[in-house]
Amino acid sequence: MMDASAVFSFILLLLTARCSFALLFSPSGGCWCHPKTFRQQLKRGRSKYTSNLYNNFHNYAWEKMHYDDDKSLLSTVPDRLKTNSSPVKGSPDGTSVVASIRSISELQRSSEDAPAAQAQAQAIRLARSAFLETQTSSSEALISPMTIHVLNLVLFPATHIRDPSTNAYIGLPIFGADIVTLPGNKHLVALDFQPVLPLNEKDGSTSRNSLFPERYSHFETKLKLIHTRYQNNDTPSEALLPWGGDIPPQAIRWFSPYALWTRLGDEKAIEIVSTTVWDAYREYVDLYFELIDAVQSDLDNGNLNIIIQKEAEEEDVVGREEEGHKKLASSNP
């Protein structure tokens, strides 16, 4: 059995560890809500907004990757795990929470998009989403203060991208989005370009690693402007979205200074999700794909290259051997 507290605990894990939803529902599981409470809240609070609200969030990024659920041959999710459902106990007959998982490790690119020699060098190495939606017996989304809707989307950039001019590796941020609605009109939203390396030094110094590689540093300025527009921490009273509260110390390393993190729970919450959160989400997604397009262009033009895992491991071994030799030489005058 899964109740709201269990979902909330799971979301807390998502915000810190980006866990998978693969085991969220068991075949015999189910969501529960008191029948009288569910019907009363549903009657009073059924949303006037489009039933495709949460699905719009889900599809927006995937459409940018030209993903087609019915035709994609690139999915890394076994057919038996792509979708699952669990009845909402105590709700009108046929109401269920449906979970769907998408994951691809290769983007669809036409021959016109990239030179043949660079066709396998892709800036995104993995795109994954888990989407939970409360649906009616006719498979339509059911949006009310008593329903569950969850989107977890993560875009992982390629690792071992190297700049040939400096022979140095560059680290790109990970895109993460969590948009969560829980029974009781509770809404949690987290959007971020998550840092690959810790931004703050452990010694407490003011210096920090860069969120973006130097050649793409202008994207940090763009991200800062977007974040300030929706969540100005300097003047909270003017923020379009209130700050969601302090992030636990053990999780702060995984968030950038431009994390958009909010909690909503008043009578206008669903309206804010459908307008302000929707706008912010699209701006964050659009900027991340603008970054990825720039990186992809540099890969296609040979300004950057990707070192395959075996080569990277060999270079690491050689580097450690050289370091060991230097230490040995310095200890033997």
Side-chain angles (χ1 to χ4, degrees):
M1 180 180 296
M2 182 187 68
D3 58 16
S5 63
V7 175
F8 186 74
S9 297
F10 195 82
I11 297 308
L12 290 180
L13 287 175
L14 275 175
L15 293 177
T16 56
R18 302 285 173 198
C19 297
S20 169
F21 273 83
L23 300 178
L24 185 57
F25 290 114
S26 64
S28 61
C31 301
W32 186 89
C33 181
H34 192 281
K36 184 177 181 181
T37 301
F38 188 94
R39 289 187 175 92
Q40 288 176 341
Q41 292 292 335
L42 187 59
K43 185 176 181 180
R44 291 201 303 263
R46 187 159 185 169
S47 174
K48 64 181 179 180
Y49 302 101
T50 171
S51 61
N52 291 323
L53 170 61
Y54 293 88
N55 202 36
N56 288 341
F57 283 97
H58 186 217
N59 289 334
Y60 187 77
W62 285 104
E63 288 174 354
K64 287 183 172 291
M65 293 181 280
H66 309 292
Y67 180 89
D68 188 322
D69 242 342
D70 298 323
K71 300 179 182 178
S72 178
L73 301 177
L74 302 175
S75 175
T76 60
V77 182
D79 289 342
R80 62 185 176 83
L81 296 179
K82 285 184 177 179
T83 185
N84 201 353
S85 64
S86 183
V88 181
K89 298 177 181 179
S91 67
D93 291 343
T95 305
S96 61
V97 174
V98 178
S100 61
I101 299 174
R102 292 178 181 175
S103 178
I104 56 174
S105 57
E106 180 182 348
L107 302 188
Q108 183 69 50
R109 301 184 69 198
S110 68
S111 58
E112 298 176 356
D113 289 337
Q118 296 291 335
Q120 298 304 314
Q122 296 200 1
I124 290 183
R125 67 177 177 86
L126 179 66
R128 177 182 61 75
S129 72
F131 180 49
L132 277 69
E133 183 175 61
T134 302
Q135 296 183 356
T136 65
S137 57
S138 58
S139 299
E140 295 182 351
L142 181 59
I143 300 175
S144 85
M146 294 304 295
T147 56
I148 294 174
H149 297 270
V150 177
L151 171 63
N152 169 243
L153 170 69
V154 190
L155 305 176
F156 295 94
T159 56
H160 301 114
I161 299 180
R162 188 167 61 180
D163 185 342
S165 65
T166 62
N167 209 34
Y169 290 102
I170 67 172
L172 299 170
I174 298 167
F175 179 81
D178 290 290
I179 301 173
V180 180
T181 292
L182 301 176
N185 200 31
K186 298 180 178 67
H187 305 265
L188 309 169
V189 177
L191 308 174
D192 197 15
F193 285 44
Q194 296 179 278
V196 174
L197 300 173
L199 296 182
N200 296 316
E201 301 295 338
K202 291 183 178 181
D203 60 6
S205 63
T206 57
S207 62
R208 69 176 179 90
N209 293 313
S210 297
L211 180 62
F212 294 88
E214 184 176 354
R215 68 188 302 135
Y216 306 115
S217 60
H218 58 287
F219 282 96
E220 184 161 0
T221 301
K222 293 183 177 183
L223 181 58
K224 182 178 181 180
L225 289 173
I226 294 173
H227 178 264
T228 301
R229 181 156 54 250
Y230 291 97
Q231 201 163 66
N232 191 337
N233 295 335
D234 295 330
T235 53
S237 61
E238 299 178 8
L240 295 177
L241 294 170
W243 175 243
D246 291 341
I247 298 172
Q250 62 271 28
I252 195 69
R253 175 259 182 270
W254 305 103
F255 289 81
S256 81
Y258 316 110
L260 196 159
W261 159 230
T262 191
R263 299 172 188 256
L264 305 169
D266 60 20
E267 59 184 12
K268 294 184 177 180
I270 294 179
E271 178 184 357
I272 293 173
V273 171
S274 69
T275 55
T276 307
V277 173
W278 171 238
D279 291 341
Y281 173 79
R282 287 183 296 169
E283 289 199 54
Y284 269 70
V285 170
D286 288 350
L287 182 62
Y288 193 79
F289 277 101
E290 185 181 337
L291 167 66
I292 290 301
D293 287 345
V295 175
Q296 190 65 62
S297 178
D298 282 335
L299 286 168
D300 294 342
N301 295 329
N303 297 324
L304 298 173
N305 55 45
I306 294 179
I307 307 301
I308 62 175
Q309 184 66 24
K310 183 176 180 180
E311 291 178 355
E313 291 175 352
E314 289 174 350
E315 288 187 358
D316 184 52
V317 170
V318 170
R320 282 183 290 176
E321 287 180 348
E322 291 178 349
E323 182 66 23
H325 292 159
K326 290 178 181 178
K327 290 182 179 179
L328 183 61
S330 62
S331 63
N332 292 283

